[in-house]
Structures are given as structure tokens and as C-alpha cells.
Amino acid sequence: MQDLRKIEDRSLFPDRYTIEEKPGGFMPTTSTSPVRWTTEDLVLFEGDRANRYEIIEGELFVTRAPDWKHQAVCGNIVTVFNNCAELSTVGQAAVMPGVIFCEANNVIPDVVWASFDRLEQLLDEAGHLVGAPELVVEVLSPGEKNERRDREAKLKLYSVQGVLEYWIVNRFDRSVAVYRREDGILKRVATLYETDDITSPILLGFRCLVSQFF
């Protein structure tokens, strides 16, 4: 994900503002009630191809379109998954699919892998996932807010929604933080580097060097 910022536009949602009388006239003040965004609100941004819009627990996050290196890493990960002969018979990886958990949680992960059984159950008519795939991968982008979103907000979301495994790929130090579901939540079990092999109990027959992601 790239260049995180939160959106705030009075013209789109004037009801979040109140008018308060001040000496000399009326002044607008921000409403104290929190605003929760939903999937329906994303229709407002359908024409914007330069940014990505995601909602996590009713909060809107806007990210710029990923850069070339970011996309190259995502492509490498999907290629490694889909080139694994054993893995390709039971599931498929995809880049940036829409995942709509509910009206208040609508995200676009960098990479997902899902079994064909789960895809049959979870793909809606528009081709979006409406539940948790087995594996989600996010590739970190520069910036403290970007990193905090992937390491905290999305980790919590994927944990609550039932993702079995979550990888956070750091293309800057060329590492992968691996989280697996234990006792009902995602827990960090390993940090792997370029010379390490990466495997998974949910990806039967899959093994590769971390360096192949970069």
C-alpha cells in the first residue's frame, strides 16, 4: 500500500458538520459524533483511478496507486504460488482482489491465495470475495502510517475475520513476517530472510526461497 492519508471533504458529507453561532456571525464546527464509512460510500470515488480506497472498521483509508517495485514484488509472489504444481491443483493466487467482509470492512489486499473450495463459496456475482481467503499477503510501503496500518489495523481485521495465515513482506530489508492462526487469533511465528525457505501448513507442497519474492 502506498502513501496513506485519510480523506475529509465537507462537500461530500456536510451532515458531519454543525453550524454554531459565534459573536459576529455563524461558524461551522466539526460534529463530535464519529463518522463511519460503508461500502456504499465508495461509489463516490469510482472515477478515481489514481488512488485506492479501503474501509477498516468504518474508517476510510486512501492510498496512491502502488509503484512499479511494489507491483513487481506482488507479481513475483503470485507467480511463485501459481507455478507450484501441487498448489495449482487445489487453489489460486491473485493480485489485489476486493475483499468485502461487511459494509464497514472492505479492503484490497496486495495478494491472496484461496483454495478452489473456498473460492466457490466466497466469490460474489461481481467477482469479489465476501469472506476470508486462507492466506493474505501485504507488501509494506514507506511511511510509519502505512506500516502501522498493515502491522496493526489489518492484522487485527484479518485475525477477526478468520484468515488462516498472514504474511507481511518487507521489500526494503527483504524479509517476511509470518503470522498463523493459533488459539483463534493470528500470532507471529517467524521472520524469514532472503536465504530462508518459506513454507506453510495450508500450502501443501509449496516451498521457495524468500529471495524469489524480490
Side-chain angles (χ1 to χ4, degrees):
M1 304 298 181
Q2 306 288 306
D3 303 331
L4 180 66
R5 69 183 190 277
K6 296 178 187 175
I7 191 160
E8 184 68 45
D9 188 336
R10 297 185 185 189
S11 65
L12 294 176
F13 287 87
D15 58 331
R16 81 177 68 176
Y17 295 91
T18 59
I19 302 297
E20 181 179 341
E21 186 174 4
K22 298 287 187 181
F26 290 87
M27 297 291 291
T29 61
T30 303
S31 171
T32 58
S33 60
V35 174
R36 287 181 63 82
W37 294 76
T38 69
T39 297
E40 292 183 359
D41 297 326
L42 297 181
V43 175
L44 294 164
F45 313 111
E46 283 184 344
D48 185 356
R49 303 301 181 193
N51 297 299
R52 184 189 308 176
Y53 297 86
E54 298 180 290
I55 299 170
I56 302 175
E57 295 301 325
E59 184 175 354
L60 182 65
F61 294 86
V62 185
T63 59
R64 293 196 181 279
D67 64 28
W68 181 274
K69 290 182 179 179
H70 185 105
Q71 290 289 69
V73 171
C74 294
N76 291 343
I77 295 169
V78 168
T79 298
V80 171
F81 282 152
N82 290 339
N83 283 349
C84 175
E86 291 184 54
L87 204 55
S88 65
T89 64
V90 295
Q92 190 174 40
V95 176
M96 299 183 190
V99 183
I100 305 172
F101 293 115
C102 63
E103 284 299 297
N105 289 297
N106 183 335
V107 293
I108 308 174
D110 285 318
V111 175
V112 305
W113 185 91
S115 65
F116 291 130
D117 288 341
R118 191 163 291 202
L119 286 174
E120 186 175 351
Q121 297 172 18
L122 297 181
L123 281 177
D124 66 11
E125 293 182 358
H128 298 123
L129 289 167
V130 294
E134 284 92 340
L135 172 67
V136 174
V137 182
E138 297 286 4
V139 178
L140 291 181
S141 293
E144 182 181 346
K145 290 183 178 179
N146 289 316
E147 185 168 344
R148 187 166 64 246
R149 182 205 54 239
D150 287 347
R151 293 193 186 277
E152 297 177 13
K154 284 198 168 182
L155 172 61
K156 180 180 178 181
L157 174 66
Y158 296 147
S159 186
V160 169
Q161 295 297 332
V163 170
L164 300 181
E165 193 158 333
Y166 178 38
W167 297 356
I168 299 177
V169 176
N170 188 330
R171 63 187 173 99
F172 304 102
D173 69 4
R174 303 169 89 85
S175 68
V176 181
V178 177
Y179 296 80
R180 290 185 183 138
R181 183 163 294 277
E182 295 181 2
D183 301 322
I185 62 172
L186 289 170
K187 295 182 180 179
R188 188 167 179 165
V189 297
T191 300
L192 305 175
Y193 294 90
E194 284 188 282
T195 57
D196 295 321
D197 281 334
I198 187 165
T199 62
S200 169
I202 63 173
L203 304 176
L204 299 181
F206 174 80
R207 177 185 294 270
C208 79
L209 283 169
V210 169
S211 60
Q212 291 179 253
F213 292 170
F214 309 105

